[in-house]
Each structure stands twice: as structure tokens, then as C-alpha cells.
């Protein structure tokens, strides 16, 4: 179906306010960044795209024409993971339309293909930086994935799996202190469980108050935010925002 609009909101720790909207309405894109600079790449409109947009801010003030066009992905896709910054980002995996393992690094101007993920999958989650990224979960096209991989700036390596195979999780943190919450298990429904990664193993954390998937997640392992999403069964869109303190 046609997307209704490109909408952005900013959170100050207490409330949400309108922010400059992206130029192109899209969903399931790869993204990375922080409050100073961010990027979104790929996604679907609903047709898969390769275009990139960049957001630049100054202290407490979003600059004029905040979203600007950036370099396009080499492989158009949707439902990929993203990590890093606007000038040092990474996008990996996704659907094109089947599961792909392609990994591309971004320098703020153009994307360069690097070594692929070991396991092709889409709707996976990501955390970390361009040279210390983490990719976990997802869907292979034939089943839920618990696969976890670390990136060192050159290649992806297999690590210990998630306890629960699932996709479309909320993610936050770094390669050695990551958080994965919620998500979807097919067949079944949305999840509320949380797992924490210490660079070696995943362990259970505190559950979400509302089980859901396909929303926004960001922050650190001990100060994370989960917002919006979809709950199933019921196909209920969520407005709830939850903060995680590490417990």
C-alpha cells in the first residue's frame, strides 16, 4: 500500500516533539547515528530503494534542511540492520526480495561493499559502530534466526546465538554491551523478553511491559528506549514508550 508520510519525532527524555521529516516516506530501512548526525539507507516505499538520507544537528538546534541526500546503497534492499554514524556507518543483510548477506560501509559520501554476513537474513537487528558492529536475529526466509555475528571492520564472525530465535527486535548498545528486546517469532506472535549481550553470551534481562516488534529502539544497554511497534495477535499498533535501566 502507499505510505502515508515521512514523519519524524524527537525525544528529550520526557516528551516527544515534531522534528524535520525525511524527504522520502519509507519503512524497514537500515540506520545509524546519534543526536548529532544520523543516516537512513534503503528500505521500501513500498518498492525497495537504495537511496540514503542524512540528518545533521547542532547543539540543541536542528539545522535548516536537516535531511539531505547521501550516497546510495550498491544493493537496493529493505529490512537490513544498521549501525555506526553518518560518516562511519554500516548496513548489512536485508531482503532484495529474498534474504541477502551483503554488507556495505558508509563514509558519509558513498557505500563500499565489504565481506558479507555469514548467514543471509532480513529483519535483523544491529548495534555498535562501523568497525565494531553486532548483527543478531532475523529471518532467513525459511525460519526464525538466533544467529549473532560480530564485525571488526573487515569481516563478520559467528558468535553465540540468542536464546530465542526471533526477528524485528528492538536494539541498542555496543558490540560488547548490547540489548535486544521484544521481536516476533513466526508462527506465534510478538515477544516481550529481553536479552543482554556481553561480547560473548546472551543472558536474560527484564521483560518489556508490552510485547511488540517493528518499532524504534536506541540508547545503551543500561539506558535504552523502546517506542511504538506492533503487537500480534491482534495487529495492534502501539504508542507506548518504555525506558530500560539495565534491570
Amino acid at each position: 500500500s502507499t505510505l502515508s508520510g515521512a514523519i519524524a519525532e524527537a525525544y528529550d527524555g520526557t516528551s516527544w516533539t515534531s522534528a524535520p521529516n525525511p524527504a522520502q516516506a519509507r519503512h524497514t530501512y537500515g540506520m545509524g547515528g546519534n543526536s548529532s548526525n544520523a543516516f537512513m539507507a534503503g528500505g521500501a516505499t513500498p518498492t525497495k530503494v537504495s537511496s540514503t538520507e542524512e540528518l545533521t544537528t547542532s547543539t540543541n538546534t536542528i539545522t535548516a534542511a536537516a535531511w539531505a541526500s547521501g550516497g546510495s546503497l550498491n544493493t537496493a534492499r529493505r529490512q537490513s540492520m544498521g549501525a555506526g554514524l553518518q560518516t562511519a556507518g554500516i548496513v548489512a543483510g536485508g531482503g532484495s526480495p529474498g534474504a541477502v548477506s551483503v554488507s556495505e560501509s558508509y563514509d558519509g559520501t558513498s557505500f563500499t561493499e565489504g565481506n558479507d554476513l555469514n548467514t543471509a537474513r532480513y529483519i535483523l537487528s544491529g548495534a555498535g559502530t562501523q568497525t565494531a558492529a553486532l548483527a543478531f536475529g532475523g529471518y532467513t526466509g525459511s525460519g526464525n534466526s538466533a544467529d549473532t555475528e560480530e564485525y571488526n571492520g573487515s569481516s563478520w564472525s559467528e558468535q553465540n546465538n540468542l536464546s530465542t530465535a526471533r526477528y524485528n527486535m528492538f536494539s541498542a548498545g555496543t558490540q560488547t554491551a548490547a540489548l535486544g528486546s521484544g521481536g516476533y517469532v513466526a508462527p506465534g506472535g510478538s515477544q516481550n523478553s529481553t536479552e543482554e549481550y556481553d561480547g560473548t553470551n546472551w543472558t536474560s534481562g527484564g521483560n518489556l511491559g508490552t510485547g511488540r516488534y517493528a518499532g524504534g529502539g536506541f540508547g545503551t544497554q543500561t539506558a535504552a528506549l523502546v517506542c511504538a511497534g506492533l503487537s500480534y495477535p491482534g495487529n495492534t499498533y502501539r504508542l507506548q514508550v518504555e525506558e530500560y535501566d539495565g534491570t
Side-chain angles (χ1 to χ4, degrees):
S1 59
T2 302
L3 297 178
S4 59
I7 300 170
E9 297 186 36
Y11 187 66
D12 63 7
T14 303
S15 58
W16 292 88
T17 56
S18 296
N21 294 332
Q24 185 177 47
R26 64 178 92 180
H27 61 76
T28 55
Y29 45 82
M31 69 173 299
N34 55 28
S35 59
S36 298
N37 61 69
F39 73 94
M40 60 167 64
T45 63
T47 303
K48 65 179 186 293
V49 298
S50 61
S51 59
T52 296
E53 292 189 51
E54 299 176 353
L55 174 71
T56 302
T57 67
S58 59
T59 305
N60 298 324
T61 303
I62 299 177
T63 60
W67 286 99
S69 296
S72 295
L73 288 163
N74 293 286
T75 301
R77 53 202 144 131
R78 58 177 181 165
Q79 301 170 329
S80 55
M81 62 76 69
L85 300 174
Q86 182 194 96
T87 54
I90 187 166
V91 173
S96 184
V100 300
S101 58
V102 178
S103 177
E104 300 185 40
S105 295
Y106 190 60
D107 62 7
T109 302
S110 60
F111 280 93
T112 303
E113 290 199 26
N115 289 316
D116 291 349
L117 289 165
N118 293 283
T119 301
R121 57 202 194 274
Y122 54 97
I123 330 178
L124 67 166
S125 300
T129 66
Q130 185 187 72
T131 56
L134 190 71
F136 54 95
Y139 194 79
T140 63
S142 60
N144 307 300
S145 176
D147 195 76
T148 300
E149 299 188 42
E150 292 182 358
Y151 188 67
N152 62 8
S154 176
S155 60
W156 291 92
S157 59
E158 296 278 0
Q159 306 298 320
N160 290 320
N161 287 348
L162 286 161
S163 300
T164 301
R166 46 186 152 162
Y167 59 85
N168 241 337
M169 300 173 68
F170 301 90
S171 61
T174 66
Q175 187 185 77
T176 56
L179 188 73
S181 297
Y184 188 90
V185 172
S190 50
Q191 307 293 299
N192 67 352
S193 61
T194 293
E195 297 188 44
E196 299 176 1
Y197 185 68
D198 62 6
T200 303
N201 297 308
W202 291 95
T203 56
S204 296
N207 288 347
L208 284 170
T210 301
R212 48 194 152 139
Y213 64 99
F218 44 91
T220 67
Q221 189 185 74
T222 57
L225 194 74
V226 164
C227 55
L230 179 67
S231 293
Y232 183 85
N235 288 329
T236 302
Y237 288 95
R238 297 293 183 179
L239 289 173
Q240 289 94 333
V241 175
E242 298 188 41
E243 297 178 352
Y244 189 65
D245 62 6
T247 304

